[in-house]
Amino acid sequence: MADKHLTDNLKGNYFSSERKDMKFLKGFTLIALLPLWAGYAFALYNGDNNNLSNCSLLILAFSLMNFNALCGVEKIENKALNLIAKMDGVLFFVWALVTVVQLLIK
């Protein structure tokens, strides 16, 4: 059993033995990113630095939890979640680029 798991990991099948509750968590966090992005945009529009910071930290945490799905390395079986993951990935990389540019300008 341990040898089979080790050979699967060496072949690159890291997510082949992913548990069902972890798949639910991945889907939940991908869907939760959408209202977080909306909250970030609303806080940015209102100039609320406290909510802007809180949303940024949550976006960063949820995006790092799903980094393989956001980058396109891992494909999710559900087409809607796969589309949400791609959209969240684009938003995340644009957000990261804008944040780096803002830090360099200041």
Side-chain angles (χ1 to χ4, degrees):
M1 178 79 173
D3 293 334
K4 182 182 180 298
H5 186 64
L6 181 62
T7 57
D8 284 346
N9 284 341
L10 291 176
K11 289 179 186 175
N13 297 331
Y14 299 110
F15 301 105
S16 62
S17 62
E18 190 174 33
R19 297 185 333 208
K20 193 171 207 161
D21 57 345
M22 293 303 289
K23 287 183 182 180
F24 173 76
L25 180 66
K26 184 176 294 191
F28 177 75
T29 55
L30 281 173
I31 293 171
L33 274 169
L34 293 176
L36 285 175
W37 282 113
Y40 180 81
F42 186 69
L44 187 63
Y45 177 74
N46 286 337
D48 189 2
N49 288 332
N50 188 27
N51 283 342
L52 197 65
S53 176
N54 290 338
C55 285
S56 295
L57 290 175
L58 285 171
I59 287 170
L60 183 64
F62 283 4
S63 295
L64 290 178
M65 286 174 59
N66 297 313
F67 193 72
N68 286 337
L70 296 180
C71 292
V73 174
E74 175 187 356
K75 188 167 181 160
I76 301 171
E77 297 86 18
N78 190 338
K79 289 182 183 180
L81 284 179
N82 199 20
L83 180 66
I84 290 171
K86 288 180 182 184
M87 185 176 61
D88 285 336
V90 168
L91 286 172
F92 177 72
F93 285 111
V94 168
W95 171 75
L97 182 67
V98 169
T99 302
V100 168
V101 169
Q102 279 181 337
L103 287 174
L104 292 176
I105 289 175
K106 288 183 181 180

